[in-house]
Amino acid sequence: MKAAVIHEHGDLNALKVEDVKEPKPGRGEVVLKVLCAGLNHLDIWVRKGRPGAQMKMPHILGSDAVGVVAAVGEDVQNPKVGDEVIIDPGLSCEHCEFCRQGQESLCVSFGLMGLSRPGTFAEQVAVPAGNCYPRPPRLSDEQAGAFALASVTAWRMLMTRAGLKPGETVLIHGIGGGVALWALQFAKLTGAEVLVTSSSEDKLSRAAALGADHTINYAKENVGKWVAEVTSGRGVDVAIDAVGAATWPLDFTCVRKGGRIVLCGVTTGAKAETDLRALYWNQLTVMGSTMGSAEDFRQMVRAVTVNKLKPVMDEVFSLEKVRDATERMETGRQFGKIALRISQ
Ligand SMILES: [Zn+2]
């Protein structure tokens, strides 16, 4: 079968589409025929490699997918052959103290599809049966395939970690990425007031069309001053940060006294300065967030289905064009999710 693989870590040239052996379902696993898969920033980190992170080469990239169950392994009751499913990309052991508490994303051996096992950028992928969920209605193949990782990440950040309430104000940095756009949709669903930033006027006007209440071009104006103006000097209740080093210091000037900062990614770098005076004097709460628990995933899919939400989509590429698709994401040109059409 065809798959997007790396033989070694590196730049875009390390990414190849080639023939690899088809997977067989292990005990408790199913094999999906992949219809569509979605790109995430994680794919870039996996390709470039991180110090200390080892993986078996060649490695198949990709965390998100929608597919049809083609084969089931031993001890699998559900799903069944022919079922259409999406994947929760978070992999947990089901036995450690955190898994037993239903906190799967805290699992001591937590992993991800496309990171700790072969990913979804392939005609077939083997997945633990417990990570398969019925395909949400009303989503196209492309939308369903590029759905899970960003939406569950945003859901956990806003709902489980920050505990967002109606009427609160949320600042979302760098609108255009998958997590930021889902955070915008979920914050509006909650009844919050949403402030978004971008360096692109086009992305800002599209965010406004999706319900953002206030927008600012951070390349042209001072974000801290703008937040103070918009909130009458008070500051926002919650800052949602998937950007990292570039926006981290700003989070501490933009949240109100007693405010919450939630970080889920470091696209611009992992080392940042923290204003410790602001942290204690303003009694701030700083939270990290990774993916979501099985319950976060269930709640998120339910909220998306009941409220007829859809992922904001950017472009769709064929598997052969995975390099172009990745380059588009890596250069920050996308607004919404980039999908790969893998089979019909
Ligand atoms: Zn565990």
Side-chain angles (χ1 to χ4, degrees):
M1 66 166 185
K2 288 260 183 294
V5 304
I6 51 169
H7 288 266
E8 57 190 1
H9 297 296
D11 61 16
L12 278 167
N13 294 319
L15 192 51
K16 316 272 183 208
V17 176
E18 55 191 48
D19 282 312
V20 301
K21 219 173 132 218
E22 290 175 357
K24 294 226 173 359
R27 181 183 289 263
E29 294 180 357
V30 301
V31 166
L32 307 182
K33 177 193 164 195
V34 179
L35 299 171
C36 282
L39 270 66
N40 292 289
H41 265 278
L42 176 72
D43 309 323
I44 297 174
W45 300 125
V46 171
R47 194 197 70 227
K48 288 182 175 172
R50 270 191 276 196
Q54 296 282 328
M55 55 188 68
K56 200 168 154 243
M57 298 290 179
H59 176 76
I60 303 175
L61 298 170
S63 300
D64 280 331
V66 62
V68 185
V69 177
V72 300
E74 280 178 68
D75 297 338
V76 174
Q77 263 86 51
N78 270 300
K80 300 189 187 330
V81 171
D83 287 353
E84 296 204 0
V85 298
I86 57 166
I87 302 170
D88 174 355
L91 303 168
S92 51
C93 75
E94 298 175 16
H95 305 297
C96 74
E97 60 174 305
F98 304 107
C99 284
R100 284 171 173 268
Q101 292 165 16
Q103 293 290 350
E104 289 84 356
S105 65
L106 296 179
C107 178
V108 294
S109 54
F110 189 70
L112 286 163
M113 292 295 298
L115 173 67
S116 34
R117 57 182 290 156
T120 57
F121 296 172
E123 288 174 315
Q124 293 189 30
V125 63
V127 192
N131 285 68
C132 296
Y133 288 74
R135 176 183 174 158
R138 285 187 289 273
L139 300 188
S140 68
D141 289 355
E142 290 81 3
Q143 289 166 339
F147 170 72
L149 189 150
S151 56
V152 76
T153 301
W155 182 269
R156 183 172 175 85
M157 289 177 86
L158 280 178
M159 306 300 174
T160 310
R161 301 293 278 146
L164 187 68
K165 295 180 192 73
E168 289 197 309
T169 45
V170 184
L171 172 65
I172 303 170
H173 296 291
I175 203 74
V179 172
L181 283 164
W182 273 116
L184 167 58
Q185 292 201 70
F186 291 146
K188 290 314 297 178
L189 189 64
T190 311
E193 184 178 37
V194 183
L195 294 72
V196 303
T197 77
S198 174
S199 60
S200 155
E201 295 294 337
D202 179 49
K203 289 184 182 183
L204 290 171
S205 60
R206 291 166 80 176
L210 285 166
D213 299 282
H214 309 278
T215 64
I216 193 174
N217 188 326
Y218 66 75
K220 292 182 185 165
E221 288 177 76
N222 182 306
V223 175
K225 213 170 134 212
W226 167 73
V227 168
E229 278 167 19
V230 168
T231 61
S232 306
R234 176 182 179 272
V236 296
D237 296 289
V238 176
I240 291 293
D241 196 335
V243 177
T247 47
W248 185 248
L250 205 50
D251 293 334
F252 289 80
T253 62
C254 290
V255 292
R256 66 162 168 91
K257 285 200 159 195
R260 294 97 85 196
I261 299 169
V262 194
L263 179 84
C264 76
V266 290
T267 316
T268 56
K271 301 273 187 223
E273 269 193 26
T274 301
D275 183 347
L276 295 172
R277 276 169 309 185
L279 179 63
Y280 77 80
W281 186 251
N282 294 335
Q283 304 193 53
L284 307 181
T285 304
V286 174
M287 288 172 268
S289 197
T290 293
M291 299 294 294
S293 65
E295 180 58 10
D296 289 326
F297 199 85
R298 189 198 65 77
Q299 286 179 2
M300 178 278 294
V301 172
R302 180 83 187 136
V304 165
T305 304
V306 170
N307 294 285
K308 301 184 174 67
L309 301 181
K310 288 178 177 168
V312 177
M313 297 303 291
D314 186 66
E315 277 190 39
V316 180
F317 294 80
S318 66
L319 179 60
E320 281 69 27
K321 299 276 186 196
V322 64
R323 194 183 186 284
D324 295 345
T326 307
E327 189 177 27
R328 183 169 173 80
M329 178 171 62
E330 211 161 332
T331 50
R333 282 177 288 154
Q334 87 280 19
F335 187 85
K337 298 298 297 179
I338 298 172
L340 299 175
R341 167 57 83 171
I342 295 184
S343 58
Q344 297 293 331

